[in-house]
Amino acid sequence: MTGVLVLVALALAFPWGAALVARRLALVLPPREACWALTGAAVLLAGGTIAALVGLFQVPFLASLERVSLPRVLEAWPAAVPFACVAGVVMLVQLVLLLRRWARHRSLLKRAWRTVGEGTGDGDLLVIPAADVDAFALPAYRGWPGRVVVTSGMVRTLKAGEREVLLAHERAHLAGRHHLLSAVTDLAAVVHPALRGLRTSLAFHLERWADEGAAAVVGDRRLAAAAIARAALAGSSHGRGGGYPLLSAMSGPVPRRVEALLLPAPTAPRGRARRAGVVALAGTVVGAAVAALGLAYGLHEYVEYAAERLIGAR
């Protein structure tokens, strides 16, 4: 049983280190690549965690499937049933939390679509008559295509060029399907507490991705920086705050985003040393996630081997 517990402990501990490395990796990548790296790491690490719990949960049952009595199993592994029960309870709690989080996502999206029913506009733009300074990307819902939602208060706050930046930013969210990346990472964070940091990091890099898209559309990085700053300041007391499923230009650490827009556009890492560093970081993230899955698989193999030994000792 000691070997089983060691394998489970290693599989469950891996996400803490791997999540930290993934966040470091994201800082040296362009925004789009950073978002995919963070989402991929979240999925792999969540999968490894679930696999480890499933392996621990089935320990007392593998032997019973081979017609080994439960008393004989407990004689060899006294803690098999308690640990299996703990794993089962954890997975049940995870399932409940996942369903609640998904229901919350759907409820927010449904409520947002009801809110914009009174909006007017053309194409993908909807303007809501409201004094609040707000704007967000509204994902597709039940056959309705995605929309860029802006309040009349926001329209009055921004100048013409700044409004163009804001609309381009929200359209970048819709075009890149950023709400899906955000949703996947948000749900993965329910599985393991270490992944919550990936959710926060992803929110920042998704906004950076949209910022860069807006800057490319208007062709003026300083204008883009000024528009983001003005929108965030004007909407600080009324803004929706961003997050799945409603991604907003006013969310995230705005000063860092503005500072990045005042610098040259990010590019893929150059130089042998920098490339080596990125490869090393990426390899560590993927390696840690694969190791977690491998440990879970090893756990299954270990349990099957132990069950065969029990059968032979009968």
Side-chain angles (χ1 to χ4, degrees):
M1 190 65 184
T2 302
V4 172
L5 296 181
V6 170
L7 287 171
V8 172
L10 289 174
L12 297 181
F14 259 117
W16 294 102
L20 176 61
V21 174
R23 294 198 301 271
R24 293 285 300 274
L25 169 63
L27 293 176
V28 299
L29 290 175
R32 181 177 62 180
E33 287 76 7
C35 292
W36 283 107
L38 290 168
T39 304
V43 171
L44 288 173
L45 294 173
T49 299
I50 293 174
L53 290 172
V54 170
L56 184 60
F57 178 71
Q58 72 174 8
V59 168
F61 303 108
L62 284 179
S64 63
L65 290 176
E66 298 292 342
R67 298 182 181 179
V68 177
S69 65
L70 183 60
R72 184 71 183 90
V73 174
L74 294 177
E75 181 181 343
W77 300 330
V81 172
F83 278 110
C85 290
V86 170
V89 170
V90 171
M91 287 190 294
L92 180 60
V93 171
Q94 288 175 337
L95 177 60
V96 171
L97 292 176
L98 282 170
L99 292 176
R100 288 182 60 185
R101 183 65 59 88
W102 179 252
R104 179 175 177 271
H105 289 172
R106 302 301 296 177
S107 176
L108 286 173
L109 188 56
K110 183 178 180 180
R111 191 159 60 245
W113 269 100
R114 286 178 177 175
T115 301
V116 303
E118 58 188 21
T120 59
D122 185 26
D124 65 349
L125 175 63
L126 285 174
V127 180
I128 302 176
D132 290 351
V133 179
D134 200 2
F136 55 91
L138 184 59
Y141 180 70
R142 292 186 176 180
W144 290 90
R147 292 286 188 268
V148 174
V149 181
V150 182
T151 63
S152 56
M154 176 66 82
V155 174
R156 290 192 299 268
T157 298
L158 300 182
K159 300 175 183 178
E162 293 171 340
R163 288 197 293 269
E164 185 181 356
V165 171
L166 182 70
L167 297 180
H169 176 100
E170 302 303 344
R171 283 169 177 149
H173 280 315
L174 294 176
R177 297 183 178 273
H178 294 174
H179 63 284
L180 296 180
L181 300 181
S182 181
V184 168
T185 305
D186 190 37
L187 293 174
V190 173
V191 175
H192 198 294
L195 305 183
R196 295 171 186 170
L198 295 182
R199 181 176 57 192
T200 302
S201 182
L202 176 66
F204 167 70
H205 289 286
L206 284 175
E207 294 304 326
R208 284 283 301 117
W209 184 352
D211 288 344
E212 292 299 329
V217 169
V218 300
D220 188 337
R221 298 182 64 80
R222 287 188 173 275
L223 175 61
I228 297 299
R230 185 187 295 272
L233 288 174
S236 60
S237 60
H238 303 288
R240 188 175 303 274
Y244 178 84
L246 310 177
L247 296 167
S248 171
M250 297 177 291
S251 63
V254 175
R256 286 177 59 194
R257 292 168 52 200
V258 171
E259 181 181 3
L261 283 170
L262 294 176
L263 297 174
T267 58
R270 296 179 180 178
R272 181 176 301 176
R274 193 172 182 184
R275 283 199 302 270
V278 171
V279 170
L281 285 171
T284 303
V285 173
V286 175
V290 172
L293 294 171
L295 285 170
Y297 175 77
L299 171 63
H300 287 252
E301 295 297 313
Y302 179 88
V303 172
E304 290 181 0
Y305 170 73
E308 290 176 359
R309 291 188 61 184
L310 282 175
I311 295 172
R314 283 189 303 176

